[in-house]
Amino acid sequence: MRKIPTGGFLSPSKRTNSMGVQAEDTRICVIMVGLPARGKSLIAQKIVRYLGWLSITAKTFNVGQYRRSATPNPSAEFFDTSNPEGERLRRAAAEAAVGDMCKWFREGRGLVAILDATNSTKSRRRWILERCQAESIATLFVESKCDDEDLIMQNILEVKTTSPDYKGQDPEEAARDFRERIRNYEKVYETIDEDERDLTYCKLINVGHQVVINQIRDYLQSRVVYYLMNLHIRPRSIWLSRHGESQYNLVGKLGGDADLSSRGEAYAKTLPSLVQKSAGDRQLTVWTSTLKRTIQTARFLPFEKLEWKALDELDSGVCDGLTYAEVEEKYPEDFAQRDEDKYNYRYLGGESYRDVVIRLEPIIMELERSENILIVTHQAILRCIYAYFMNVPQERSPWMEVPLHTLIKLTPKAYTTVEERLKADIPAVSTFREKGSRARGNTIGDGAKPLSPTAQEDAKGLGLGLAADGKPVMGDAKPPPES
């Protein structure tokens, strides 16, 4: 493999990850603290996703999952502190979770573990601290404290429909039982206070309206705390869309700043009704890149619009304006290297997917602070944003198909992220190329349909050949003879 000073593979040191954190010197246990229905599991899930997105290996150890192996559907009485059997089983679950976490660290399998449980008493927190100290694991306690009744009720309503504890149960009965469970915890709950000022902690009060931090000691702890300071756990959704089909899409060219095709224009005009169908009467804020095709796509939306340079498409460097066939012809070694490790491969004079993730971090922070956002951007950018919310592995994210003329709605929940897709009834070429596929001779089509007469005129105007069936032919492939 040749070495390329401006392109080729990014090769982080074996001793550090992409953020420059030394693996052998960094082991942190994030200990969640809080009453039920305070968003702890959602916060834990978000921390793991965020760190994984940044190439920092993290894992959640959810004590409830350990407890469910012995007691899958407990009633509220199980959580009453006067119930000795319930207390014994809950302690056993905590010990099993902490034991597995320590083993995970000893085996060198990650840098950050999240212990997801109520950890509601000082004695329980002190026990966890001592176990971690014995293993030379740094600790960061994260308490989610909330007295906003509306928010608590929203979380209760979500838990009764998504928690494994209430699977198959009547929703109203589940809600009543869960409220009783909360009352049992409230009897013994002790917030982190001055008596525990030796702890490293971050206290989130009423969904981040107030944040208290104490004794933050290293870079990775501060990184997690910075992320937590930007979180809110109010219910919300995010909408994502690629720009409409562009003139470059028609000819299979990479990058550029092309205008929309006629079908891309049609999608731009249809997008407002698609958004209204998905978002109802909510007032959204629209974020676009600074490139013409996203701005043109968003121009009919009746919302405030913001342009972000960080949302511009992945920079393809010297390959900008080329087709994949031309890239394969001019830079065959690079074409093969990119197929081998697309996430880390950097275009000559351009970017890799890893580079894009780094520049998108401020976008993710702003998304976590905000509500009701619609992003109109590009394929590689949407792959990275989608991978963050859906926890898609790095090696798979650059190969995801993100079709044109499709609106994606993502709704984060405590245990998952719910995805919905709305496809406009407007054909578009496919810009998706599978891993290992040849660039030459590919046709860019829209299923079984040929291009419309108007789109065919667009294609001919750009010098693109058309096959006998009306589909455009990419690169130097020739249309088959008519039979």
Side-chain angles (χ1 to χ4, degrees):
M1 184 184 301
R2 65 191 178 98
K3 295 189 180 296
I4 306 166
T6 56
F9 284 119
L10 299 176
S11 300
S13 163
K14 293 180 180 179
R15 298 181 69 245
T16 65
N17 64 9
S18 66
M19 306 303 296
V21 179
Q22 297 237 345
E24 61 267 39
D25 295 336
T26 306
R27 299 193 305 172
I28 297 174
C29 176
V30 177
I31 302 115
M32 301 306 302
V33 177
L35 290 165
R38 267 62 177 183
K40 296 186 303 302
S41 292
L42 178 59
I43 293 170
Q45 174 199 21
K46 282 176 173 290
I47 293 172
V48 170
R49 280 208 327 255
Y50 168 68
L51 293 175
W53 191 69
L54 293 176
S55 305
I56 299 170
T57 306
K59 181 178 178 179
T60 298
F61 293 83
N62 183 286
V63 174
Q65 290 180 354
Y66 286 82
R67 183 259 304 154
R68 287 182 196 104
S69 64
T71 315
N73 301 110
S75 66
E77 286 75 18
F78 178 84
F79 300 92
D80 192 329
T81 54
S82 63
N83 179 344
E85 180 62 9
E87 179 71 15
R88 184 187 69 81
L89 289 172
R90 285 186 285 123
R91 173 75 184 207
E95 290 176 344
V98 172
D100 282 355
M101 179 192 72
C102 291
K103 180 183 177 184
W104 182 77
F105 276 127
R106 284 196 297 269
E107 293 173 350
R109 295 167 65 186
L111 300 182
V112 181
I114 294 86
L115 187 63
D116 184 13
T118 57
N119 298 314
S120 53
T121 64
K122 294 179 181 180
S123 62
R124 173 59 62 85
R125 295 194 287 270
R126 189 61 54 179
W127 169 73
I128 296 168
L129 177 66
E130 291 170 355
R131 283 293 306 273
C132 289
Q133 287 175 336
E135 299 277 347
S136 299
I137 299 167
T139 55
L140 170 60
F141 291 83
V142 175
E143 181 177 14
S144 181
K145 221 175 137 50
C146 182
D147 56 15
D148 184 329
E149 289 300 326
D150 289 339
L151 181 61
I152 293 169
M153 281 307 302
Q154 287 174 350
N155 288 337
I156 289 173
L157 291 173
E158 180 177 329
V159 166
K160 77 178 184 182
T161 58
T162 62
S163 171
D165 283 348
Y166 297 107
K167 186 176 181 179
Q169 295 189 26
D170 174 73
E172 293 309 313
E173 180 57 37
R176 282 192 293 271
D177 184 86
F178 193 61
R179 290 190 198 96
E180 185 59 33
R181 182 190 300 192
I182 294 172
R183 283 191 283 270
N184 283 329
Y185 274 106
E186 286 173 336
K187 296 173 186 176
V188 297
Y189 185 76
E190 297 172 296
T191 186
I192 297 176
D193 60 20
E194 285 298 308
D195 293 342
E196 298 174 284
R197 57 181 176 271
D198 62 315
L199 301 182
T200 296
Y201 66 79
C202 173
K203 185 182 289 194
L204 307 172
I205 302 171
N206 285 333
V207 204
H209 286 178
Q210 183 181 358
V211 179
V212 180
I213 60 176
N214 184 65
Q215 298 271 24
I216 304 303
R217 292 184 171 88
D218 66 25
Y219 169 79
L220 195 47
Q221 286 178 344
S222 65
R223 196 65 183 254
V224 172
V225 168
Y226 174 63
Y227 176 68
L228 292 172
M229 291 172 68
N230 287 284
L231 287 185
H232 71 73
I233 56 174
R234 293 181 295 272
R236 53 74 178 266
S237 297
I238 299 103
W239 288 265
L240 308 173
S241 175
R242 287 180 69 182
H243 54 78
E245 180 187 75
S246 73
Q247 301 280 7
Y248 263 30
N249 291 149
L250 285 174
V251 292
K253 288 185 176 182
L254 303 175
D257 192 16
D259 292 310
L260 296 180
S261 71
S262 58
R263 297 193 299 191
E265 283 286 344
Y267 178 68
K269 293 174 182 176
T270 300
L271 186 56
S273 62
L274 211 62
V275 170
Q276 201 279 332
K277 183 177 179 181
S278 178
D281 296 327
R282 273 179 280 197
Q283 283 296 307
L284 308 185
T285 300
V286 180
W287 297 353
T288 72
S289 75
T290 64
L291 301 176
K292 289 188 295 186
R293 54 194 183 273
T294 66
I295 296 168
Q296 291 171 0
T297 301
R299 72 186 188 276
F300 298 110
L301 292 163
F303 307 121
E304 178 188 7
K305 301 175 185 70
L306 300 173
E307 296 176 15
W308 292 78
K309 181 70 175 173
L311 289 174
D312 284 2
E313 179 61 300
L314 183 150
D315 185 350
S316 50
V318 298
C319 297
D320 189 78
L322 302 181
T323 66
Y324 278 120
E326 290 167 339
V327 173
E328 186 181 25
E329 180 181 351
K330 291 186 176 184
Y331 309 102
E333 290 184 41
D334 295 274
F335 187 86
Q337 286 178 12
R338 192 164 192 261
D339 258 22
E340 183 180 339
D341 187 357
K342 192 175 179 181
Y343 185 82
N344 287 303
Y345 177 80
R346 178 185 287 154
Y347 277 109
L348 295 169
E351 290 181 300
S352 68
Y353 274 82
R354 186 182 290 278
D355 294 328
V356 169
V357 163
I358 292 170
R359 72 164 152 100
L360 281 177
E361 189 177 7
I363 295 289
I364 294 300
M365 292 295 181
E366 193 62 33
L367 272 175
E368 290 292 3
R369 278 198 293 266
S370 306
E371 297 179 62
N372 301 329
I373 302 297
L374 165 60
I375 299 178
V376 180
T377 185
H378 309 269
Q379 179 170 247
I381 306 305
L382 284 184
R383 281 170 171 162
C384 293
I385 295 173
Y386 181 93
Y388 167 77
F389 283 103
M390 301 301 290
N391 204 25
V392 177
Q394 289 174 347
E395 66 274 11
R396 189 159 63 85
S397 62
W399 297 104
M400 292 186 296
E401 185 171 9
V402 183
L404 290 164
H405 300 177
T406 302
L407 181 67
I408 302 172
K409 177 183 179 182
L410 300 179
T411 305
K413 300 285 187 180
Y415 298 95
T416 186
T417 297
V418 177
E419 176 184 357
E420 301 171 54
R421 295 196 179 198
L422 282 176
K423 188 169 179 60
D425 189 21
I426 299 168
V429 297
S430 171
T431 60
F432 177 66
R433 187 181 70 84
E434 291 185 1
K435 183 175 182 178
S437 63
R438 296 296 304 275
R440 296 169 186 262
N442 289 344
T443 60
I444 305 181
D446 48 291
K449 301 177 183 177
L451 293 179
S452 66
T454 306
Q456 288 188 35
E457 288 303 313
D458 285 343
K460 289 176 182 177
L462 289 163
L464 178 67
L466 292 172
D469 60 3
K471 295 180 182 179
V473 182
M474 184 176 75
D476 59 357
K478 304 299 181 186
E482 293 188 18
S483 56

